[in-house]
Amino acid sequence: EPEVTQTPSHQVTQMGQEVILRCVPISNHLYFYWYRQILGQKVEFLVSFYNNEISEKSEIFDDQFSVERPDGSNFTLKIRSTKLEDSAMYFCASRLRQGAYEQYFGPGTRLTVT
Amino acid sequence: AQSVTQLGSHVSVSEGALVLLRCNYSSSVPPYLFWYVQYPNQGLQLLLKYTSAATLVKGINGFEAEFKKSETSFHLTKPSAHMSDAAEYFCAVSDNNAGNMLTFGGGTRLMVKP
């Protein structure tokens, strides 16, 4: 069964460094998402992406964050200058098409900022 | 704005007993509702969804949920708990605009006693 994959599974970085989290959505899906879950807190929406542009973003998704679909398979989240409070599990998700409402999630990348 | 409340951050049941995990939502538009399960060190797996068809929805692993508009609820049930059901369960509501971002509840950790 097709699934969303994410790499790396765990990333440790120093405060102020740039990180890129990578996701490969399900191959025929058209909508892509990033969510994050700070330890002990709710899963929070960051951004949605369709047709090579951001369709919606949350207040969390400030200028430090960016997303890109550099080729036909990858979907990346970049954090330009990481802060301690960016430490969280980051989930990528994808959705098939308009009218199909369920999102399929990857296993997550645990980002630790020291 | 949408919101989801899951009553009980921890629920403990005996193996073979009824599982009932509560979810109440708030939405200004007819909602799409979902239950996801997260096993330790894994991503979010879709259990079931409600998207305005039948109000009683059956999912994987013997789980089902009933949409009750008058109570703004979407509680998750399973007649007989199994040890393998021990996990964290998240209720989520989707907005109906183009982004279809998910808003999650705080999660309920289900423990199953032998």
Side-chain angles (χ1 to χ4, degrees), chain A residues 31 33 35 37 42-43 45 48 55-56 91 95 101-103 105-107, chain B residues 4 32 34 36 38 43-44 46 49 90 95 97-102 104 106:
Chain A
Y31 294 82
Y33 304 83
Y35 294 82
Q37 184 181 28
K42 292 185 178 186
V43 177
F45 167 77
S48 59
S55 47
E56 196 171 9
F91 293 107
R95 179 165 70 94
Y101 302 105
E102 59 271 29
Q103 295 178 25
F105 283 76
Chain B
V4 176
Y32 299 138
F34 307 86
Y36 285 86
Q38 185 179 32
L44 299 164
L46 181 66
K49 63 182 181 183
F90 293 93
D95 66 9
N97 66 24
N100 279 114
M101 58 171 275
L102 292 174
F104 284 85

PDB file of all heavy atoms in Angstrom, chain A residues 31 33 35 37 42-43 45 48 55-56 91 95 101-103 105-107, chain B residues 4 32 34 36 38 43-44 46 49 90 95 97-102 104 106:
ATOM      1  N   TYR A  31      -2.395  17.319  -2.917  1.00  0.00           N
ATOM      2  CA  TYR A  31      -2.370  18.306  -1.833  1.00  0.00           C
ATOM      3  C   TYR A  31      -1.375  17.827  -0.781  1.00  0.00           C
ATOM      4  O   TYR A  31      -1.371  16.651  -0.413  1.00  0.00           O
ATOM      5  CB  TYR A  31      -3.758  18.438  -1.188  1.00  0.00           C
ATOM      6  CG  TYR A  31      -4.807  19.008  -2.114  1.00  0.00           C
ATOM      7  CD1 TYR A  31      -5.452  18.194  -3.039  1.00  0.00           C
ATOM      8  CD2 TYR A  31      -5.149  20.353  -2.055  1.00  0.00           C
ATOM      9  CE1 TYR A  31      -6.412  18.711  -3.890  1.00  0.00           C
ATOM     10  CE2 TYR A  31      -6.110  20.868  -2.900  1.00  0.00           C
ATOM     11  CZ  TYR A  31      -6.738  20.055  -3.814  1.00  0.00           C
ATOM     12  OH  TYR A  31      -7.682  20.565  -4.661  1.00  0.00           O
ATOM     13  N   TYR A  33       0.821  18.755   3.020  1.00  0.00           N
ATOM     14  CA  TYR A  33       0.695  19.466   4.294  1.00  0.00           C
ATOM     15  C   TYR A  33       1.904  19.199   5.184  1.00  0.00           C
ATOM     16  O   TYR A  33       2.529  18.144   5.106  1.00  0.00           O
ATOM     17  CB  TYR A  33      -0.548  18.966   5.059  1.00  0.00           C
ATOM     18  CG  TYR A  33      -1.842  19.075   4.286  1.00  0.00           C
ATOM     19  CD1 TYR A  33      -2.206  18.096   3.365  1.00  0.00           C
ATOM     20  CD2 TYR A  33      -2.698  20.154   4.479  1.00  0.00           C
ATOM     21  CE1 TYR A  33      -3.391  18.194   2.653  1.00  0.00           C
ATOM     22  CE2 TYR A  33      -3.887  20.255   3.772  1.00  0.00           C
ATOM     23  CZ  TYR A  33      -4.225  19.278   2.860  1.00  0.00           C
ATOM     24  OH  TYR A  33      -5.399  19.378   2.158  1.00  0.00           O
ATOM     25  N   TYR A  35       2.513  19.456   9.462  1.00  0.00           N
ATOM     26  CA  TYR A  35       2.007  19.661  10.803  1.00  0.00           C
ATOM     27  C   TYR A  35       3.170  19.462  11.767  1.00  0.00           C
ATOM     28  O   TYR A  35       4.163  18.821  11.423  1.00  0.00           O
ATOM     29  CB  TYR A  35       0.909  18.633  11.148  1.00  0.00           C
ATOM     30  CG  TYR A  35      -0.360  18.760  10.350  1.00  0.00           C
ATOM     31  CD1 TYR A  35      -0.458  18.208   9.076  1.00  0.00           C
ATOM     32  CD2 TYR A  35      -1.466  19.400  10.877  1.00  0.00           C
ATOM     33  CE1 TYR A  35      -1.630  18.310   8.336  1.00  0.00           C
ATOM     34  CE2 TYR A  35      -2.654  19.502  10.150  1.00  0.00           C
ATOM     35  CZ  TYR A  35      -2.724  18.955   8.883  1.00  0.00           C
ATOM     36  OH  TYR A  35      -3.884  19.057   8.165  1.00  0.00           O
ATOM     37  N   GLN A  37       4.064  18.630  16.138  1.00  0.00           N
ATOM     38  CA  GLN A  37       3.560  18.272  17.464  1.00  0.00           C
ATOM     39  C   GLN A  37       4.691  18.469  18.461  1.00  0.00           C
ATOM     40  O   GLN A  37       5.635  17.669  18.497  1.00  0.00           O
ATOM     41  CB  GLN A  37       3.059  16.827  17.481  1.00  0.00           C
ATOM     42  CG  GLN A  37       2.429  16.408  18.793  1.00  0.00           C
ATOM     43  CD  GLN A  37       1.971  14.965  18.776  1.00  0.00           C
ATOM     44  OE1 GLN A  37       2.519  14.125  18.075  1.00  0.00           O
ATOM     45  NE2 GLN A  37       0.943  14.663  19.558  1.00  0.00           N
ATOM     46  N   LYS A  42      -0.821  19.448  21.301  1.00  0.00           N
ATOM     47  CA  LYS A  42      -1.648  19.009  20.174  1.00  0.00           C
ATOM     48  C   LYS A  42      -0.842  18.999  18.882  1.00  0.00           C
ATOM     49  O   LYS A  42       0.146  19.726  18.736  1.00  0.00           O
ATOM     50  CB  LYS A  42      -2.823  19.976  19.983  1.00  0.00           C
ATOM     51  CG  LYS A  42      -3.855  19.972  21.064  1.00  0.00           C
ATOM     52  CD  LYS A  42      -5.005  20.900  20.668  1.00  0.00           C
ATOM     53  CE  LYS A  42      -6.095  20.894  21.727  1.00  0.00           C
ATOM     54  NZ  LYS A  42      -7.271  21.674  21.305  1.00  0.00           N
ATOM     55  N   VAL A  43      -1.324  18.241  17.930  1.00  0.00           N
ATOM     56  CA  VAL A  43      -0.819  18.327  16.566  1.00  0.00           C
ATOM     57  C   VAL A  43      -1.343  19.641  15.972  1.00  0.00           C
ATOM     58  O   VAL A  43      -2.549  19.927  16.029  1.00  0.00           O
ATOM     59  CB  VAL A  43      -1.307  17.129  15.727  1.00  0.00           C
ATOM     60  CG1 VAL A  43      -0.833  17.255  14.290  1.00  0.00           C
ATOM     61  CG2 VAL A  43      -0.812  15.821  16.338  1.00  0.00           C
ATOM     62  N   PHE A  45      -1.431  22.461  12.690  1.00  0.00           N
ATOM     63  CA  PHE A  45      -1.266  22.710  11.250  1.00  0.00           C
ATOM     64  C   PHE A  45      -0.218  23.794  11.019  1.00  0.00           C
ATOM     65  O   PHE A  45      -0.201  24.815  11.717  1.00  0.00           O
ATOM     66  CB  PHE A  45      -2.611  23.129  10.676  1.00  0.00           C
ATOM     67  CG  PHE A  45      -2.559  23.711   9.303  1.00  0.00           C
ATOM     68  CD1 PHE A  45      -2.412  22.877   8.194  1.00  0.00           C
ATOM     69  CD2 PHE A  45      -2.657  25.070   9.092  1.00  0.00           C
ATOM     70  CE1 PHE A  45      -2.379  23.406   6.912  1.00  0.00           C
ATOM     71  CE2 PHE A  45      -2.623  25.605   7.827  1.00  0.00           C
ATOM     72  CZ  PHE A  45      -2.482  24.772   6.732  1.00  0.00           C
ATOM     73  N   SER A  48      -0.420  24.281   4.021  1.00  0.00           N
ATOM     74  CA  SER A  48      -0.898  23.393   2.968  1.00  0.00           C
ATOM     75  C   SER A  48      -0.402  23.916   1.621  1.00  0.00           C
ATOM     76  O   SER A  48      -0.170  25.124   1.454  1.00  0.00           O
ATOM     77  CB  SER A  48      -2.424  23.288   2.979  1.00  0.00           C
ATOM     78  OG  SER A  48      -3.014  24.558   2.795  1.00  0.00           O
ATOM     79  N   SER A  55      -1.458  27.180  -0.178  1.00  0.00           N
ATOM     80  CA  SER A  55      -2.880  27.507  -0.216  1.00  0.00           C
ATOM     81  C   SER A  55      -3.379  28.031   1.128  1.00  0.00           C
ATOM     82  O   SER A  55      -4.337  28.803   1.177  1.00  0.00           O
ATOM     83  CB  SER A  55      -3.717  26.303  -0.659  1.00  0.00           C
ATOM     84  OG  SER A  55      -3.343  25.127   0.037  1.00  0.00           O
ATOM     85  N   GLU A  56      -2.709  27.651   2.205  1.00  0.00           N
ATOM     86  CA  GLU A  56      -3.101  28.118   3.526  1.00  0.00           C
ATOM     87  C   GLU A  56      -1.910  27.957   4.461  1.00  0.00           C
ATOM     88  O   GLU A  56      -1.127  27.026   4.300  1.00  0.00           O
ATOM     89  CB  GLU A  56      -4.282  27.286   4.034  1.00  0.00           C
ATOM     90  CG  GLU A  56      -5.036  27.878   5.204  1.00  0.00           C
ATOM     91  CD  GLU A  56      -6.320  27.109   5.492  1.00  0.00           C
ATOM     92  OE1 GLU A  56      -6.545  26.035   4.906  1.00  0.00           O
ATOM     93  OE2 GLU A  56      -7.109  27.601   6.322  1.00  0.00           O
ATOM     94  N   PHE A  91       5.232  16.327  10.994  1.00  0.00           N
ATOM     95  CA  PHE A  91       4.546  15.347  10.156  1.00  0.00           C
ATOM     96  C   PHE A  91       4.221  15.947   8.798  1.00  0.00           C
ATOM     97  O   PHE A  91       3.706  17.058   8.706  1.00  0.00           O
ATOM     98  CB  PHE A  91       3.231  14.904  10.804  1.00  0.00           C
ATOM     99  CG  PHE A  91       3.395  14.113  12.070  1.00  0.00           C
ATOM    100  CD1 PHE A  91       3.089  14.682  13.295  1.00  0.00           C
ATOM    101  CD2 PHE A  91       3.831  12.805  12.036  1.00  0.00           C
ATOM    102  CE1 PHE A  91       3.225  13.952  14.469  1.00  0.00           C
ATOM    103  CE2 PHE A  91       3.972  12.065  13.198  1.00  0.00           C
ATOM    104  CZ  PHE A  91       3.673  12.646  14.422  1.00  0.00           C
ATOM    105  N   ARG A  95      -2.957  14.437   0.400  1.00  0.00           N
ATOM    106  CA  ARG A  95      -4.375  14.175   0.125  1.00  0.00           C
ATOM    107  C   ARG A  95      -4.529  14.018  -1.373  1.00  0.00           C
ATOM    108  O   ARG A  95      -3.894  14.748  -2.152  1.00  0.00           O
ATOM    109  CB  ARG A  95      -5.202  15.338   0.662  1.00  0.00           C
ATOM    110  CG  ARG A  95      -6.690  15.266   0.449  1.00  0.00           C
ATOM    111  CD  ARG A  95      -7.418  16.280   1.329  1.00  0.00           C
ATOM    112  NE  ARG A  95      -7.196  17.646   0.903  1.00  0.00           N
ATOM    113  CZ  ARG A  95      -7.998  18.330   0.083  1.00  0.00           C
ATOM    114  NH1 ARG A  95      -9.057  17.743  -0.427  1.00  0.00           N
ATOM    115  NH2 ARG A  95      -7.735  19.576  -0.234  1.00  0.00           N
ATOM    116  N   TYR A 101     -11.266  13.926   1.296  1.00  0.00           N
ATOM    117  CA  TYR A 101     -10.919  14.788   2.423  1.00  0.00           C
ATOM    118  C   TYR A 101      -9.895  14.199   3.376  1.00  0.00           C
ATOM    119  O   TYR A 101      -9.332  14.908   4.198  1.00  0.00           O
ATOM    120  CB  TYR A 101     -12.201  15.144   3.179  1.00  0.00           C
ATOM    121  CG  TYR A 101     -13.192  15.816   2.267  1.00  0.00           C
ATOM    122  CD1 TYR A 101     -14.307  15.145   1.786  1.00  0.00           C
ATOM    123  CD2 TYR A 101     -12.973  17.113   1.822  1.00  0.00           C
ATOM    124  CE1 TYR A 101     -15.187  15.746   0.911  1.00  0.00           C
ATOM    125  CE2 TYR A 101     -13.856  17.726   0.943  1.00  0.00           C
ATOM    126  CZ  TYR A 101     -14.952  17.033   0.496  1.00  0.00           C
ATOM    127  OH  TYR A 101     -15.819  17.632  -0.378  1.00  0.00           O
ATOM    128  N   GLU A 102      -9.657  12.891   3.290  1.00  0.00           N
ATOM    129  CA  GLU A 102      -8.739  12.294   4.242  1.00  0.00           C
ATOM    130  C   GLU A 102      -7.297  12.578   3.864  1.00  0.00           C
ATOM    131  O   GLU A 102      -6.933  12.573   2.692  1.00  0.00           O
ATOM    132  CB  GLU A 102      -8.972  10.784   4.359  1.00  0.00           C
ATOM    133  CG  GLU A 102      -8.812  10.009   3.083  1.00  0.00           C
ATOM    134  CD  GLU A 102     -10.098   9.916   2.279  1.00  0.00           C
ATOM    135  OE1 GLU A 102     -10.938  10.831   2.356  1.00  0.00           O
ATOM    136  OE2 GLU A 102     -10.263   8.922   1.556  1.00  0.00           O
ATOM    137  N   GLN A 103      -6.508  12.835   4.902  1.00  0.00           N
ATOM    138  CA  GLN A 103      -5.082  13.067   4.718  1.00  0.00           C
ATOM    139  C   GLN A 103      -4.316  11.869   5.260  1.00  0.00           C
ATOM    140  O   GLN A 103      -4.668  11.302   6.292  1.00  0.00           O
ATOM    141  CB  GLN A 103      -4.652  14.342   5.457  1.00  0.00           C
ATOM    142  CG  GLN A 103      -5.292  15.594   4.881  1.00  0.00           C
ATOM    143  CD  GLN A 103      -4.921  16.852   5.632  1.00  0.00           C
ATOM    144  OE1 GLN A 103      -3.879  16.930   6.270  1.00  0.00           O
ATOM    145  NE2 GLN A 103      -5.784  17.853   5.550  1.00  0.00           N
ATOM    146  N   PHE A 105      -0.700  10.480   6.621  1.00  0.00           N
ATOM    147  CA  PHE A 105       0.454  11.037   7.303  1.00  0.00           C
ATOM    148  C   PHE A 105       1.687  10.150   7.188  1.00  0.00           C
ATOM    149  O   PHE A 105       1.589   8.921   7.158  1.00  0.00           O
ATOM    150  CB  PHE A 105       0.141  11.229   8.794  1.00  0.00           C
ATOM    151  CG  PHE A 105      -0.712  12.421   9.067  1.00  0.00           C
ATOM    152  CD1 PHE A 105      -2.078  12.402   8.797  1.00  0.00           C
ATOM    153  CD2 PHE A 105      -0.165  13.584   9.584  1.00  0.00           C
ATOM    154  CE1 PHE A 105      -2.877  13.516   9.038  1.00  0.00           C
ATOM    155  CE2 PHE A 105      -0.960  14.699   9.839  1.00  0.00           C
ATOM    156  CZ  PHE A 105      -2.307  14.669   9.559  1.00  0.00           C
ATOM    157  N   GLY A 106       2.829  10.800   7.168  1.00  0.00           N
ATOM    158  CA  GLY A 106       4.096  10.091   7.266  1.00  0.00           C
ATOM    159  C   GLY A 106       4.436   9.791   8.714  1.00  0.00           C
ATOM    160  O   GLY A 106       3.711  10.207   9.626  1.00  0.00           O
ATOM    161  N   PRO A 107       5.549   9.088   8.939  1.00  0.00           N
ATOM    162  CA  PRO A 107       5.928   8.679  10.296  1.00  0.00           C
ATOM    163  C   PRO A 107       6.502   9.809  11.135  1.00  0.00           C
ATOM    164  O   PRO A 107       6.661   9.653  12.344  1.00  0.00           O
ATOM    165  CB  PRO A 107       6.969   7.590  10.056  1.00  0.00           C
ATOM    166  CG  PRO A 107       7.555   7.934   8.740  1.00  0.00           C
ATOM    167  CD  PRO A 107       6.452   8.537   7.925  1.00  0.00           C
TER     168      PRO A 107
ATOM    169  N   VAL B   4     -11.605  21.215  18.528  1.00  0.00           N
ATOM    170  CA  VAL B   4     -11.942  19.851  18.899  1.00  0.00           C
ATOM    171  C   VAL B   4     -11.548  19.645  20.355  1.00  0.00           C
ATOM    172  O   VAL B   4     -10.443  20.019  20.762  1.00  0.00           O
ATOM    173  CB  VAL B   4     -11.188  18.836  18.012  1.00  0.00           C
ATOM    174  CG1 VAL B   4     -11.477  17.414  18.473  1.00  0.00           C
ATOM    175  CG2 VAL B   4     -11.565  19.016  16.554  1.00  0.00           C
ATOM    176  N   TYR B  32     -16.191  17.928   8.376  1.00  0.00           N
ATOM    177  CA  TYR B  32     -15.679  16.605   8.063  1.00  0.00           C
ATOM    178  C   TYR B  32     -14.859  16.190   9.277  1.00  0.00           C
ATOM    179  O   TYR B  32     -14.047  16.968   9.773  1.00  0.00           O
ATOM    180  CB  TYR B  32     -14.803  16.631   6.816  1.00  0.00           C
ATOM    181  CG  TYR B  32     -15.533  17.086   5.579  1.00  0.00           C
ATOM    182  CD1 TYR B  32     -14.940  17.966   4.677  1.00  0.00           C
ATOM    183  CD2 TYR B  32     -16.828  16.641   5.306  1.00  0.00           C
ATOM    184  CE1 TYR B  32     -15.610  18.391   3.548  1.00  0.00           C
ATOM    185  CE2 TYR B  32     -17.499  17.065   4.176  1.00  0.00           C
ATOM    186  CZ  TYR B  32     -16.886  17.940   3.310  1.00  0.00           C
ATOM    187  OH  TYR B  32     -17.555  18.356   2.193  1.00  0.00           O
ATOM    188  N   PHE B  34     -12.623  13.141  11.599  1.00  0.00           N
ATOM    189  CA  PHE B  34     -11.709  12.023  11.439  1.00  0.00           C
ATOM    190  C   PHE B  34     -11.233  11.543  12.805  1.00  0.00           C
ATOM    191  O   PHE B  34     -11.136  12.325  13.759  1.00  0.00           O
ATOM    192  CB  PHE B  34     -10.464  12.450  10.634  1.00  0.00           C
ATOM    193  CG  PHE B  34     -10.791  13.099   9.319  1.00  0.00           C
ATOM    194  CD1 PHE B  34     -11.045  14.456   9.239  1.00  0.00           C
ATOM    195  CD2 PHE B  34     -10.852  12.342   8.159  1.00  0.00           C
ATOM    196  CE1 PHE B  34     -11.356  15.055   8.036  1.00  0.00           C
ATOM    197  CE2 PHE B  34     -11.158  12.940   6.943  1.00  0.00           C
ATOM    198  CZ  PHE B  34     -11.413  14.290   6.886  1.00  0.00           C
ATOM    199  N   TYR B  36      -7.787   9.489  14.088  1.00  0.00           N
ATOM    200  CA  TYR B  36      -6.482   8.942  13.766  1.00  0.00           C
ATOM    201  C   TYR B  36      -5.940   8.215  14.995  1.00  0.00           C
ATOM    202  O   TYR B  36      -6.224   8.595  16.132  1.00  0.00           O
ATOM    203  CB  TYR B  36      -5.489  10.047  13.380  1.00  0.00           C
ATOM    204  CG  TYR B  36      -5.699  10.632  12.008  1.00  0.00           C
ATOM    205  CD1 TYR B  36      -6.591  11.681  11.794  1.00  0.00           C
ATOM    206  CD2 TYR B  36      -4.990  10.143  10.909  1.00  0.00           C
ATOM    207  CE1 TYR B  36      -6.776  12.223  10.531  1.00  0.00           C
ATOM    208  CE2 TYR B  36      -5.166  10.683   9.642  1.00  0.00           C
ATOM    209  CZ  TYR B  36      -6.055  11.717   9.465  1.00  0.00           C
ATOM    210  OH  TYR B  36      -6.231  12.239   8.212  1.00  0.00           O
ATOM    211  N   GLN B  38      -2.255   6.755  16.773  1.00  0.00           N
ATOM    212  CA  GLN B  38      -0.794   6.845  16.740  1.00  0.00           C
ATOM    213  C   GLN B  38      -0.223   5.807  17.688  1.00  0.00           C
ATOM    214  O   GLN B  38      -0.376   5.913  18.912  1.00  0.00           O
ATOM    215  CB  GLN B  38      -0.334   8.249  17.135  1.00  0.00           C
ATOM    216  CG  GLN B  38       1.165   8.465  17.020  1.00  0.00           C
ATOM    217  CD  GLN B  38       1.572   9.878  17.398  1.00  0.00           C
ATOM    218  OE1 GLN B  38       0.965  10.521  18.258  1.00  0.00           O
ATOM    219  NE2 GLN B  38       2.600  10.390  16.743  1.00  0.00           N
ATOM    220  N   GLY B  43       3.705   7.220  12.963  1.00  0.00           N
ATOM    221  CA  GLY B  43       2.924   8.368  12.524  1.00  0.00           C
ATOM    222  C   GLY B  43       1.447   8.190  12.807  1.00  0.00           C
ATOM    223  O   GLY B  43       1.032   7.287  13.528  1.00  0.00           O
ATOM    224  N   LEU B  44       0.645   9.062  12.237  1.00  0.00           N
ATOM    225  CA  LEU B  44      -0.802   9.056  12.432  1.00  0.00           C
ATOM    226  C   LEU B  44      -1.450   8.197  11.352  1.00  0.00           C
ATOM    227  O   LEU B  44      -1.263   8.432  10.158  1.00  0.00           O
ATOM    228  CB  LEU B  44      -1.340  10.479  12.360  1.00  0.00           C
ATOM    229  CG  LEU B  44      -0.792  11.448  13.418  1.00  0.00           C
ATOM    230  CD1 LEU B  44      -1.081  12.881  13.031  1.00  0.00           C
ATOM    231  CD2 LEU B  44      -1.392  11.128  14.772  1.00  0.00           C
ATOM    232  N   LEU B  46      -5.010   6.791   9.721  1.00  0.00           N
ATOM    233  CA  LEU B  46      -6.438   7.086   9.654  1.00  0.00           C
ATOM    234  C   LEU B  46      -7.244   5.867  10.080  1.00  0.00           C
ATOM    235  O   LEU B  46      -7.083   4.783   9.531  1.00  0.00           O
ATOM    236  CB  LEU B  46      -6.812   7.478   8.224  1.00  0.00           C
ATOM    237  CG  LEU B  46      -8.262   7.844   7.982  1.00  0.00           C
ATOM    238  CD1 LEU B  46      -8.630   9.133   8.727  1.00  0.00           C
ATOM    239  CD2 LEU B  46      -8.539   8.004   6.487  1.00  0.00           C
ATOM    240  N   LYS B  49     -13.505   8.081   8.944  1.00  0.00           N
ATOM    241  CA  LYS B  49     -13.836   9.450   8.574  1.00  0.00           C
ATOM    242  C   LYS B  49     -15.350   9.602   8.431  1.00  0.00           C
ATOM    243  O   LYS B  49     -16.060   8.656   8.089  1.00  0.00           O
ATOM    244  CB  LYS B  49     -13.172   9.806   7.246  1.00  0.00           C
ATOM    245  CG  LYS B  49     -13.684   8.950   6.095  1.00  0.00           C
ATOM    246  CD  LYS B  49     -12.997   9.271   4.775  1.00  0.00           C
ATOM    247  CE  LYS B  49     -13.594   8.376   3.686  1.00  0.00           C
ATOM    248  NZ  LYS B  49     -12.945   8.546   2.381  1.00  0.00           N
ATOM    249  N   PHE B  90      -6.505  10.422  18.173  1.00  0.00           N
ATOM    250  CA  PHE B  90      -6.739  11.838  17.916  1.00  0.00           C
ATOM    251  C   PHE B  90      -7.997  12.011  17.078  1.00  0.00           C
ATOM    252  O   PHE B  90      -8.149  11.372  16.036  1.00  0.00           O
ATOM    253  CB  PHE B  90      -5.565  12.457  17.154  1.00  0.00           C
ATOM    254  CG  PHE B  90      -4.292  12.521  17.938  1.00  0.00           C
ATOM    255  CD1 PHE B  90      -3.359  11.488  17.856  1.00  0.00           C
ATOM    256  CD2 PHE B  90      -4.012  13.601  18.756  1.00  0.00           C
ATOM    257  CE1 PHE B  90      -2.178  11.538  18.581  1.00  0.00           C
ATOM    258  CE2 PHE B  90      -2.827  13.662  19.484  1.00  0.00           C
ATOM    259  CZ  PHE B  90      -1.913  12.625  19.389  1.00  0.00           C
ATOM    260  N   ASP B  95     -11.659  21.901   7.870  1.00  0.00           N
ATOM    261  CA  ASP B  95     -12.452  22.981   7.305  1.00  0.00           C
ATOM    262  C   ASP B  95     -12.743  22.625   5.847  1.00  0.00           C
ATOM    263  O   ASP B  95     -12.186  21.677   5.307  1.00  0.00           O
ATOM    264  CB  ASP B  95     -11.745  24.328   7.440  1.00  0.00           C
ATOM    265  CG  ASP B  95     -10.463  24.425   6.606  1.00  0.00           C
ATOM    266  OD1 ASP B  95     -10.193  23.524   5.798  1.00  0.00           O
ATOM    267  OD2 ASP B  95      -9.747  25.412   6.783  1.00  0.00           O
ATOM    268  N   ASN B  97     -12.600  24.671   3.170  1.00  0.00           N
ATOM    269  CA  ASN B  97     -12.098  25.510   2.098  1.00  0.00           C
ATOM    270  C   ASN B  97     -11.042  24.739   1.311  1.00  0.00           C
ATOM    271  O   ASN B  97     -10.821  23.565   1.539  1.00  0.00           O
ATOM    272  CB  ASN B  97     -11.567  26.836   2.664  1.00  0.00           C
ATOM    273  CG  ASN B  97     -10.344  26.639   3.527  1.00  0.00           C
ATOM    274  OD1 ASN B  97      -9.614  25.661   3.395  1.00  0.00           O
ATOM    275  ND2 ASN B  97     -10.108  27.573   4.423  1.00  0.00           N
ATOM    276  N   ALA B  98     -10.393  25.397   0.425  1.00  0.00           N
ATOM    277  CA  ALA B  98      -9.488  24.695  -0.481  1.00  0.00           C
ATOM    278  C   ALA B  98      -8.360  23.991   0.245  1.00  0.00           C
ATOM    279  O   ALA B  98      -7.886  22.956  -0.187  1.00  0.00           O
ATOM    280  CB  ALA B  98      -8.923  25.683  -1.494  1.00  0.00           C
ATOM    281  N   GLY B  99      -7.907  24.567   1.364  1.00  0.00           N
ATOM    282  CA  GLY B  99      -6.779  23.966   2.060  1.00  0.00           C
ATOM    283  C   GLY B  99      -7.124  22.717   2.815  1.00  0.00           C
ATOM    284  O   GLY B  99      -6.301  21.821   2.941  1.00  0.00           O
ATOM    285  N   ASN B 100      -8.343  22.632   3.343  1.00  0.00           N
ATOM    286  CA  ASN B 100      -8.774  21.491   4.149  1.00  0.00           C
ATOM    287  C   ASN B 100      -7.816  21.146   5.270  1.00  0.00           C
ATOM    288  O   ASN B 100      -7.516  19.982   5.518  1.00  0.00           O
ATOM    289  CB  ASN B 100      -9.000  20.253   3.271  1.00  0.00           C
ATOM    290  CG  ASN B 100     -10.348  20.306   2.592  1.00  0.00           C
ATOM    291  OD1 ASN B 100     -10.429  20.416   1.388  1.00  0.00           O
ATOM    292  ND2 ASN B 100     -11.415  20.258   3.375  1.00  0.00           N
ATOM    293  N   MET B 101      -7.319  22.170   5.964  1.00  0.00           N
ATOM    294  CA  MET B 101      -6.433  21.903   7.088  1.00  0.00           C
ATOM    295  C   MET B 101      -7.192  21.151   8.172  1.00  0.00           C
ATOM    296  O   MET B 101      -8.404  21.318   8.328  1.00  0.00           O
ATOM    297  CB  MET B 101      -5.887  23.203   7.661  1.00  0.00           C
ATOM    298  CG  MET B 101      -6.966  24.164   8.131  1.00  0.00           C
ATOM    299  SD  MET B 101      -6.326  25.577   9.041  1.00  0.00           S
ATOM    300  CE  MET B 101      -6.210  24.879  10.671  1.00  0.00           C
ATOM    301  N   LEU B 102      -6.471  20.316   8.897  1.00  0.00           N
ATOM    302  CA  LEU B 102      -7.053  19.590  10.013  1.00  0.00           C
ATOM    303  C   LEU B 102      -6.757  20.314  11.321  1.00  0.00           C
ATOM    304  O   LEU B 102      -5.639  20.776  11.540  1.00  0.00           O
ATOM    305  CB  LEU B 102      -6.473  18.180  10.096  1.00  0.00           C
ATOM    306  CG  LEU B 102      -6.841  17.221   8.960  1.00  0.00           C
ATOM    307  CD1 LEU B 102      -6.072  15.916   9.109  1.00  0.00           C
ATOM    308  CD2 LEU B 102      -8.335  16.970   8.943  1.00  0.00           C
ATOM    309  N   PHE B 104      -6.799  19.409  15.289  1.00  0.00           N
ATOM    310  CA  PHE B 104      -6.782  18.209  16.116  1.00  0.00           C
ATOM    311  C   PHE B 104      -7.197  18.504  17.551  1.00  0.00           C
ATOM    312  O   PHE B 104      -6.970  19.598  18.088  1.00  0.00           O
ATOM    313  CB  PHE B 104      -5.365  17.619  16.158  1.00  0.00           C
ATOM    314  CG  PHE B 104      -4.977  16.886  14.910  1.00  0.00           C
ATOM    315  CD1 PHE B 104      -4.453  17.555  13.822  1.00  0.00           C
ATOM    316  CD2 PHE B 104      -5.143  15.512  14.825  1.00  0.00           C
ATOM    317  CE1 PHE B 104      -4.096  16.872  12.668  1.00  0.00           C
ATOM    318  CE2 PHE B 104      -4.790  14.809  13.691  1.00  0.00           C
ATOM    319  CZ  PHE B 104      -4.263  15.497  12.602  1.00  0.00           C
ATOM    320  N   GLY B 106      -6.667  17.192  21.602  1.00  0.00           N
ATOM    321  CA  GLY B 106      -5.452  16.981  22.382  1.00  0.00           C
ATOM    322  C   GLY B 106      -5.008  15.531  22.479  1.00  0.00           C
ATOM    323  O   GLY B 106      -3.913  15.252  22.964  1.00  0.00           O
TER     324      GLY B 106
END
